[in-house]
């Protein structure tokens, strides 16, 4: 008879919290620094969505691959990409994950199975099918995960990929991060039937819908789906209903959201608060243990920003390197 | 105005049983079709207003599109009125909708969902008759029935053409109490004690984690955890009493093993230690120290070692619309006959 | 003396030999095997024109027929390449690039650069190009310029069976994304091809005919039209040098310039439409780098600025002819007039 109330041991719970908190503080810091004009280009923040990213990706190894979206910082951090290198990348500096040549929307780390954030919505789905195909040939039980949003679920690439994965029985998991908005357009307008599980059913694939702000619900559902795929059970779809705290991009005034909506979700649907309440309420972790992690994370983010600002810029010579392996 | 309620749960049949077993997934588009059939059937027999639970799972949005399109096709239905509430996509929506329908005088409530959805409605609104349509994963409680007929039966009752004595059937339920009423809840079919202590994705499917099953009725044709009783010692919906089954984890305590369809597509052996009838009104104390009580197939109430958990069967606890009897009486009494010319 | 085989057979042989040599080489495309899921023969087609027939018998499930989903399977080939495989995907007609171009030019082409040098995407995308089959506007284009324009892609378009086998093997062994263009009208063309495996490096043009009067720079089917034109011109004492580019990216501009420095006159022939064509690109590069060597204006011979027509008489007018090439040579030599 189990007396322990969670599916993860305490060290794993602490690690999950740390990763979610790292994503949250990374994104919130970017929000502040972007509004001060420190950051070039576009950033799309994952704050509010951490439980889905960590709940799913936390169960993957380096040999498993993920193809991410434009809102990819959370996926990167969950997959183990170094936040210090990520911050340098976002600042366009040398030492960034991509040498400053990719930027926020293209952070990748193939050694960690992170096939890249992607500026083209839906483009990751076929790439994940490719990773799944490679995994099938390698026969090590590896899987690939394709993340799309409710908006990108309308892209032809996504729908084609569902069919291809079904036809080839690929170990690919399609995760729809349903935060209700495709840029400024609500899913009530843009999606003919707001059910991605039903879309998967059209291709004969099983699907599960979970509350994406509940880490444990995500962890359990994702765990079963991943286990099934590893064993050759084929592709499936996981819909995570979630909320994004910030705009589509930084600088988005979000006038398309009802007044009070963001305050309400920050108060009532904060996945980190829910996680903390669950683990402290069960007496498994103390509030001070969590606070200690919070402080360590804030120190890490501060260090990331300081180092990013101090890091050298790429040089003119860097402009023309790495177009090809050889030319 | 003759008013009924309609609660169509988009969240049901979306859970992990889809992955573990080949559980069905009734698409949103199909649920909306069921709703449309209820609306038109109810209208044809005098229902003037339908109170509908709003949702953010896709049903309302698609229903609005259908209603808008249908107007141009001259279809007819009652006034569709959405309850004034903010959907949260949790069972709280069903609880609130049931209370609001009760307060607004619905004569009956049509429910689309599985066992969990029906439980949620009855919990908040025990005196209004419900008519269930199964669209969830586990459907031991609601019937598989053509929704047009359900709409007609409910309308015959709501409009007064059939009396309560004619139209309604009595149902049992299980009352669950932790620490002498500090926490209470109900189950319509089964209350199952699980050793897993986290609520997670909610659905329960691992037999090794179960220690006891309490049933208000045990139908051998039912799917789900109640089959553990139904295939051991059947108890009908209208029969007195229920059934309490203790599962055997210790091989020494196991009397037999039973092959049972514990989830759609899943037939598993379950070790049984003991079973006995559950008379109405007699509290049964749960032996397990610390765990979760699953109500109608979903983990709902966690309890700690030292908490006292009791399950009591109640008879004649809530009414349902007996669709078969309604239609039988309607036919025999000529309720649907019309003059030869309009 | 090597045996003679067709370009189609040369492609088949290159694929067969590379798949035998390297287990990470896989193939995918619509009907590359043929008959999947049906009640008739498997390997029913071996590609719409039979180019890949017989490979399934030797390499089995390393050849994958695909559903009608270019975005998905071209993207999957690219994703698999990024994960260490060496896929050869077939885009049946290069005209179909529209439905999958993002995966090619925004994903495959850019991974290495965007990811700071840490990605390798060794994918080959084979596609049929060119007109003359009466296949009409959406199945007959020469879209080489669109791919050549994209940094990160390599573009290959051979004109002979010998070049085809060597360049295809090179493409498969290359670690960058390669668009391998096969002219459908040259599939039957025969030439000497060694039985052993061999490679031809990228970025090396071939002088297929030496001459001192004028440099004709071209690729693909137009190499053969240029040879026809050269034979006619020779009777008038004009000796054309023909430079077959073979790879458009990387481009061997040095060989072109060397030839122009020898002849002083340049005619660029391209089956593509005129705006932003390979002809325009080569001409501009030569003018910039070797203006002093030119003794007269450059002439470009291309298809017209129209879609490919269906009616055979019109299609024959669309494709640059030996006569048009000959006339362009004479205009080049006459200072660009008449």
């Amino acid at each position: 008879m189990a007396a322990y109330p969670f599916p993860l041991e305490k060290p794993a719970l602490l690690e999950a919290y740390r990763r979610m908190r790292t994503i949250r503080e990374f994104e919130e810091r970017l929000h502040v620094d972007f509004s001060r004009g420190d950051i070039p280009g576009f950033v799309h923040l994952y704050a509010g969505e951490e439980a889905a990213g960590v709940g799913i990706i936390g169960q993957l190894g380096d040999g498993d691959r993920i193809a991410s979206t434009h809102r990819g910082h959370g996926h990167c951090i969950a997959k183990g990409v170094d936040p210090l290198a990520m911050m340098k990348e976002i600042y366009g500096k040398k030492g960034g994950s991509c040498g400053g040549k990719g930027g926020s929307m293209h952070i990748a780390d193939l050694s960690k199975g992170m096939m890249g954030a992607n500026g083209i919505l839906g483009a990751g789905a076929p790439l994940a099918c490719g990773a799944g195909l490679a995994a099938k040939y390698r026969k090590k039980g590896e899987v690939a995960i394709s993340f799309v949003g409710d908006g990108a679920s309308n892209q032809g690439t996504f729908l084609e990929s569902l069919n291809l994965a079904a036809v080839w029985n690929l170990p690919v998991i399609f995760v729809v991060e349903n935060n209700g908005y495709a840029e400024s357009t609500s899913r009530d307008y843009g999606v003919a039937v707001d059910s991605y599980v039903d879309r998967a059913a059209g291709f004969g694939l099983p699907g599960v819908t979970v509350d994406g702000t509940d880490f444990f619900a995500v962890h359990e559902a994702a765990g079963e789906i991943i286990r099934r795929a590893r064993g050759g059970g084929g592709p499936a779809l996981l819909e995570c209903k979630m909320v994004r705290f910030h705009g589509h991009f930084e600088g988005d005034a979000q006038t398309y959201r009802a007044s009070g909506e963001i305050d309400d979700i920050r108060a009532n649907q904060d996945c980190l608060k829910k996680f903390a309440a669950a683990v402290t309420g069960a007496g498994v972790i103390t509030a001070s243990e969590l606070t200690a992690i919070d402080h360590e994370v804030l120190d890490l983010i501060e260090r990331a920003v300081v180092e990013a600002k101090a890091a050298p810029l790429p040089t003119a010579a860097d402009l023309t390197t790495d177009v090809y392996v050889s030319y | 105005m003759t008013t009924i309620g309609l609660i169509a749960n988009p969240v049901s049949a979306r859970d992990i049983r889809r992955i573990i077993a080949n559980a069905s997934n009734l698409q949103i588009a199909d649920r909306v079709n069921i709703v449309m059939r209820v609306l038109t059937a109810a209208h044809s027999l005098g229902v003037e207003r339908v109170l509908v639970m709003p949702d953010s799972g896709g049903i309302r949005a698609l229903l609005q599109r259908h209603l808008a399109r249908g107007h141009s096709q001259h279809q007819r239905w009652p006034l569709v009125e959405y309850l004034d509430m903010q959907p949260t996509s949790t069972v709280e929506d069903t609880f609130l909708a049931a209370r609001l329908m009760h307060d607004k005088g619905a004569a009956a409530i049509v429910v689309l969902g599985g066992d969990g959805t029906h439980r949620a409605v009855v919990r908040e609104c025990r005196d209004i008759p419900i008519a269930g349509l199964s669209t969830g994963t586990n459907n031991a409680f609601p019937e598989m029935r053509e929704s047009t007929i359900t709409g007609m039966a409910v309308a015959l009752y709501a409009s007064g053409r059939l009396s309560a004595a004619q139209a309604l059937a009595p149902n049992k339920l299980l009352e669950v109490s932790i620490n002498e009423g500090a926490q209470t809840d109900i189950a319509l079919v089964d209350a199952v004690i699980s050793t897993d202590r986290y609520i997670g994705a909610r659905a329960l499917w691992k037999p090794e984690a179960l220690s006891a099953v309490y049933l208000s009725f045990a139908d051998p044709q039912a799917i789900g955890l109640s089959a553990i009783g139904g295939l051991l010692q059947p108890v009908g919906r209208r029969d007195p009493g229920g059934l309490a089954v203790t599962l055997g984890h210790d091989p020494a305590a196991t009397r037999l093993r039973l092959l049972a369809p514990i989830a759609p597509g899943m037939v598993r052996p379950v070790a049984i230690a003991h079973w006995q009838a559950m008379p109405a009104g007699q509290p049964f104390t749960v032996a397990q120290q610390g765990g979760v009580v699953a109500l109608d197939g979903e983990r709902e109430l966690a309890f700690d070692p030292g908490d006292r958990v009791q399950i009591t069967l109640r008879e004649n606890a809530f009414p349902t619309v007996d669709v078969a009897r309604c239609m039988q009486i309607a036919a025999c009494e000529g309720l649907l006959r019309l003059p030869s010319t309009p | 003396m090597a045996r003679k085989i067709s370009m189609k057979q040369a492609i088949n042989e290159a694929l067969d030999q590379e798949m035998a040599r390297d287990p990470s080489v896989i193939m995918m495309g619509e009907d590359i095997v043929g008959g999947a899921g049906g009640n008739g023969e498997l390997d029913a087609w071996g590609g719409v024109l039979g180019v890949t027939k017989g490979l399934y018998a030797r390499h089995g499930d390393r050849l994958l027929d695909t559903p009608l989903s270019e975005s998905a399977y071209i993207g999957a080939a690219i994703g698999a390449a990024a994960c260490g495989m060496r896929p050869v995907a077939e885009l049946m007609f290069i005209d179909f690039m529209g439905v999958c171009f993002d995966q090619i030019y925004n994903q495959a082409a850019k991974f290495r650069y965007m990811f700071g040098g840490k990605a390798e995407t060794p994918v080959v995308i084979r596609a049929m190009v060119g007109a003359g089959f009466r296949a009409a506007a959406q199945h007959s284009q020469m879209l080489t310029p669109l791919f050549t324009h994209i940094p990160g892609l390599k573009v290959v378009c051979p004109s002979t069976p010998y070049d085809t086998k060597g360049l295809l093997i090179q493409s498969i062994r290359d670690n960058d994304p390669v668009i391998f263009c096969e002219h459908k009208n040259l599939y039957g063309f025969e030439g000497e091809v060694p039985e052993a495996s061999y490679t031809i490096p990228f970025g090396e043009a071939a002088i297929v005919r030496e001459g001192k009067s004028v440099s004709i720079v071209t690729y693909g089917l137009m190499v053969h039209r240029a040879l026809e034109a050269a034979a006619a011109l020779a009777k008038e004492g004009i000796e054309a040098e023909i430079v077959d580019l073979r790879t458009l990216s990387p481009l061997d501009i040095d060989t072109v310039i060397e030839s122009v420095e020898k002849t002083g006159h340049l005619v660029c022939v391209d089956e593509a439409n005129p705006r932003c064509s390979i002809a325009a690109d080569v001409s501009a590069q030569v003018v910039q780098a070797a203006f002093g060597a030119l003794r007269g204006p450059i002439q470009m011979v291309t298809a017209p600025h129209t879609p490919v027509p269906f009616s055979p008489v019109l299609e024959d007018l669309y494709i640059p002819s030996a006569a048009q090439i000959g006339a362009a040579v004479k205009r080049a030599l006459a200072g660009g007039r008449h």
Side-chain angles (χ1 to χ4, degrees):
Chain A
M1 305 258 174
Y4 185 74
F6 297 114
L8 294 167
E9 296 300 321
K10 182 168 168 175
L13 289 174
L14 289 169
E15 179 56 27
Y17 181 79
R18 180 182 296 278
R19 291 217 178 175
M20 289 195 285
R21 178 58 66 191
T22 304
I23 296 170
R24 175 67 59 87
E25 299 308 333
F26 191 94
E27 301 292 76
E28 295 292 3
R29 182 60 187 269
L30 283 177
H31 175 70
V32 167
D33 289 351
F34 186 92
S35 66
R36 283 211 305 252
D38 292 353
I39 295 173
F42 293 114
V43 288
H44 308 80
L45 302 180
Y46 200 72
E49 307 190 349
E50 297 85 353
V54 175
I56 297 165
I57 297 171
Q59 304 188 71
L60 304 180
D62 285 350
D64 300 312
R65 316 288 173 131
I66 65 171
S68 173
T69 64
H70 57 296
R71 199 177 299 285
H73 302 163
H75 301 142
C76 284
I77 291 171
K79 198 74 172 64
V81 180
D82 174 16
L84 300 175
M86 286 172 61
M87 191 63 82
K88 290 186 183 77
E89 186 61 35
I90 291 166
Y91 274 81
K93 299 294 192 77
K94 266 178 122 66
S97 318
C98 304
K101 289 164 83 169
S104 162
M105 271 197 288
H106 308 114
I107 302 183
D109 187 341
L110 291 162
S111 72
K112 292 260 184 310
M114 201 319 180
M115 294 173 77
N118 211 311
I120 304 295
L121 268 28
L127 298 173
C129 285
L133 185 66
K136 240 185 130 171
Y137 280 108
R138 269 200 300 271
K139 297 187 163 68
K140 291 193 203 154
E142 291 156 342
V143 301
I145 303 203
S146 163
F147 287 91
V148 296
D150 43 287
S153 77
N154 291 327
Q155 277 284 359
T157 43
F158 174 71
L159 299 166
E160 287 186 36
S161 299
L162 289 175
N163 186 64
L164 188 68
V167 164
W168 283 353
N169 200 43
L170 298 176
V172 178
I173 293 140
F174 296 95
V175 177
V176 177
E177 295 184 312
N178 181 4
N179 65 22
Y181 294 104
E183 296 192 278
S184 77
T185 300
S186 163
R187 64 174 171 234
D188 283 346
Y189 176 85
V191 186
V193 179
D194 181 30
S195 171
Y196 314 90
V197 165
D198 288 353
R199 289 180 174 209
F203 297 99
L205 301 182
V208 182
T209 305
V210 289
D211 176 358
T213 65
D214 178 347
F215 171 86
F216 295 105
V218 173
H219 177 89
E220 184 178 34
E224 286 303 327
I225 292 174
I226 290 168
R227 204 170 356 261
R228 175 179 180 269
R230 288 199 197 288
L237 185 142
L238 177 62
E239 177 191 340
C240 295
K241 291 181 100 90
M242 56 218 282
V243 291
R244 63 160 155 84
F245 287 169
H246 294 290
H248 169 65
F249 53 86
E250 280 310 285
D252 174 7
Q254 301 192 76
T255 50
Y256 51 86
R257 294 173 94 157
S259 90
E261 178 182 315
I262 299 171
D263 292 331
D264 180 69
I265 61 178
R266 275 197 184 261
N268 301 314
Q269 294 192 61
D270 184 330
C271 58
L272 272 158
K273 284 186 191 158
K274 287 184 176 185
F275 183 93
V279 299
T280 55
V284 169
I285 294 177
T286 66
S288 60
E289 284 174 292
L290 296 180
T291 312
I293 292 176
D294 293 347
H295 287 139
E296 285 166 25
V297 168
L298 284 167
D299 286 345
L300 176 72
I301 304 305
E302 174 65 23
R303 186 178 143 209
V305 174
V306 165
E307 286 187 17
K309 288 185 166 166
L313 289 161
T315 64
D318 295 319
L319 174 66
T320 51
T321 55
D322 295 319
V323 181
Y324 299 94
V325 175
S326 62
Y327 199 57
Chain B
M1 253 203 246
T2 304
T3 301
I4 63 172
L6 189 136
I7 293 179
N9 187 354
V11 174
S12 59
R14 286 283 181 266
D15 64 48
I16 206 164
R17 282 166 286 187
R18 230 126 256 99
I19 302 296
I20 310 305
N22 293 327
S24 280
N25 165 32
L26 193 66
Q27 299 203 359
I28 295 293
D30 292 317
R31 295 177 206 224
V32 173
N33 285 335
I34 290 171
V35 169
M36 294 294 298
R37 298 203 296 275
V38 170
L39 292 177
T40 50
H43 175 80
S44 69
L45 286 174
V47 170
E48 295 157 297
R49 180 171 77 141
V50 180
L51 302 168
V52 179
M53 178 184 83
D55 69 285
S56 55
I59 291 183
R60 175 180 182 163
L62 188 58
L63 181 61
Q64 287 301 103
R65 280 208 199 96
H66 278 322
L67 293 176
R69 211 178 292 139
H71 272 303
S72 68
Q73 310 285 310
H74 306 294
Q75 286 169 7
R76 298 231 177 288
W77 38 70
L79 176 68
V80 172
E81 186 184 305
Y82 289 99
L83 296 173
D84 183 14
M85 52 179 271
Q86 267 293 88
T88 62
S89 295
T90 65
V91 71
E92 299 296 325
D93 294 346
T94 308
F95 292 149
L96 179 56
R99 288 197 294 273
L100 290 173
M101 287 174 186
H102 174 273
D103 295 344
K104 285 168 146 305
I109 300 177
V110 176
V111 182
L112 273 74
D115 297 341
T117 308
H118 288 80
R119 178 189 79 86
V121 175
V122 171
R123 197 186 92 159
E124 294 304 307
C125 170
R126 262 198 230 186
D127 47 349
I128 299 187
I130 64 172
L133 288 164
S134 80
T135 63
T137 305
N138 209 81
N139 300 283
F141 181 78
E143 304 171 302
M144 293 293 281
R145 190 173 281 289
E146 168 50 39
S147 58
T148 313
I149 310 303
T150 301
M152 291 174 73
V154 168
L156 285 168
Y157 167 71
S159 65
R161 266 172 273 199
L162 288 173
S163 68
Q166 291 171 307
L168 305 183
N171 295 271
K172 295 174 274 185
L173 58 71
L174 298 162
E175 277 179 357
V176 180
S177 165
I178 301 182
N179 292 335
E180 269 63 52
Q183 258 190 294
T184 60
D185 212 315
I186 61 158
L188 301 191
V189 183
D190 51 78
V192 175
I193 312 302
S194 161
T195 56
D196 273 344
R197 281 196 63 210
Y198 56 97
I199 290 181
R202 303 203 105 92
L204 193 72
W205 70 92
K206 300 175 187 165
E208 56 280 8
L210 310 180
S211 68
V213 175
Y214 300 88
L215 302 169
S216 66
F217 65 90
D219 181 349
Q221 289 183 69
I223 185 74
L225 296 170
S226 73
I228 293 173
L231 293 170
L232 208 52
Q233 184 169 300
V235 178
R237 278 185 208 245
R238 319 286 172 228
D239 293 341
L243 193 71
V245 183
T246 307
L247 302 181
H249 287 284
D250 175 6
T254 297
R255 198 162 127 194
L256 57 87
R257 289 187 313 143
L258 183 75
L259 261 183
I262 56 169
M266 281 184 100
V267 182
R268 292 284 142 86
V270 180
I272 311 285
H274 175 70
W275 65 96
Q276 66 184 94
M278 244 184 122
Q282 182 185 321
F284 276 62
T285 302
V286 168
Q288 184 181 313
Q289 290 302 310
V292 170
V293 186
L295 304 170
D296 292 321
E298 298 183 353
R299 288 181 288 236
E300 290 292 345
L301 294 173
F303 62 96
D304 294 322
D307 285 338
R308 190 160 131 104
V309 184
Q310 291 190 307
I311 320 266
T312 309
L313 180 87
R314 300 285 177 210
E315 287 172 351
N316 215 348
F318 67 97
T320 48
V321 176
D322 188 333
V323 176
R325 192 152 105 239
C326 285
M327 301 315 287
Q328 179 74 14
I329 293 173
C332 295
E333 299 196 358
L335 294 181
L336 299 172
R337 296 184 191 189
L338 298 170
S340 53
T341 49
Chain C
M1 164 91 61
R3 51 95 247 188
K4 277 191 164 194
I5 59 171
S6 66
M7 182 185 268
K8 192 168 129 173
Q9 288 166 313
I11 293 166
N12 191 295
E13 202 166 270
L15 292 166
D16 187 27
Q17 288 177 354
E18 280 303 282
M19 288 188 85
R21 185 190 66 84
D22 182 351
S24 71
V25 179
I26 58 171
M27 290 178 58
M28 64 183 81
E30 290 156 3
D31 306 290
I32 57 168
V33 176
N39 298 319
E41 276 176 34
L42 201 50
D43 203 19
W45 275 11
V48 65
L49 294 180
V51 174
T52 48
K53 193 142 173 74
L55 292 175
Y56 180 74
R58 288 195 288 289
H59 304 289
D61 70 0
R62 280 162 62 202
L63 275 89
L64 293 166
D65 272 356
T66 66
L68 233 148
S69 308
E70 280 78 5
S71 268
Y73 79 78
I74 295 287
I78 291 165
C83 294
M85 303 206 77
R86 305 193 84 87
V88 179
E90 182 185 289
L91 182 61
M92 201 193 275
F93 289 85
I94 206 164
D95 315 66
F96 300 167
M97 60 160 262
V99 296
C100 60
F101 199 34
D102 182 85
Q103 293 289 323
I104 297 171
Y105 88 104
N106 264 339
Q107 311 299 324
K110 295 177 167 62
F111 283 160
R112 188 167 181 80
Y113 190 85
M114 288 195 302
F115 300 163
K118 291 185 236 155
E120 268 188 27
T121 313
V123 65
V124 176
I125 296 170
R126 296 175 40 242
M128 279 200 284
V129 298
F133 250 46
R134 307 9 183 141
Q138 295 172 342
H139 289 69
S140 309
Q141 296 167 87
M142 179 60 72
L143 296 177
T144 41
L146 301 188
F147 293 91
T148 303
H149 180 71
I150 307 295
L153 295 180
K154 295 180 177 170
V155 184
V156 178
C157 191
S159 68
T160 66
Y162 177 85
D163 287 348
T164 296
K165 178 172 170 176
L167 286 168
L168 183 51
I169 292 174
Q170 178 73 17
S171 298
I172 295 169
R173 297 185 190 180
D174 192 274
N175 290 319
D176 289 304
V178 177
I179 312 297
F180 189 84
C181 303
E182 302 168 2
H183 203 296
K184 53 178 89 65
N185 243 324
L186 289 176
Y187 271 164
F189 180 75
E190 290 189 351
E192 288 178 2
V193 178
E195 286 182 41
S197 206
Y198 59 95
T199 59
I200 294 174
F202 291 164
E204 286 191 12
I207 310 282
V208 301
R209 187 187 194 279
E210 288 196 3
K212 52 182 172 33
S213 318
V214 62
S215 302
I216 303 178
V217 177
T218 186
Y219 64 96
L221 178 68
M222 293 298 105
V223 171
H224 302 279
R225 294 293 162 98
L227 282 164
E228 267 180 67
L233 289 165
K235 296 185 184 140
E236 300 177 52
I238 300 170
E239 290 299 331
E241 176 149 290
I242 299 177
V243 180
D244 178 356
L245 294 172
R246 302 202 293 188
T247 65
L248 304 172
S249 178
L251 181 75
D252 183 4
I253 197 67
D254 291 342
T255 298
V256 173
I257 290 170
E258 221 175 275
S259 176
V260 172
E261 280 168 348
K262 184 167 103 178
T263 67
H265 296 277
L266 174 62
V267 173
C268 290
V269 185
D270 189 355
E271 195 185 317
N273 302 110
R275 300 301 310 277
C276 309
S277 59
I278 304 295
D281 175 57
V282 170
S283 301
Q285 290 195 49
V286 168
V287 166
Q288 181 165 259
F291 182 69
L294 286 166
R295 283 182 263 132
I298 294 172
Q299 294 292 303
M300 295 184 286
V301 182
T302 69
H305 188 71
T306 71
V308 183
F310 165 64
S311 180
V313 60
L314 291 179
E315 188 182 32
D316 291 343
L317 285 174
Y318 172 95
I319 302 168
S321 64
Q324 281 173 293
I325 297 170
V329 165
K330 290 182 181 168
R331 276 197 312 277
L333 293 173
R337 282 169 236 109
H338 71 76

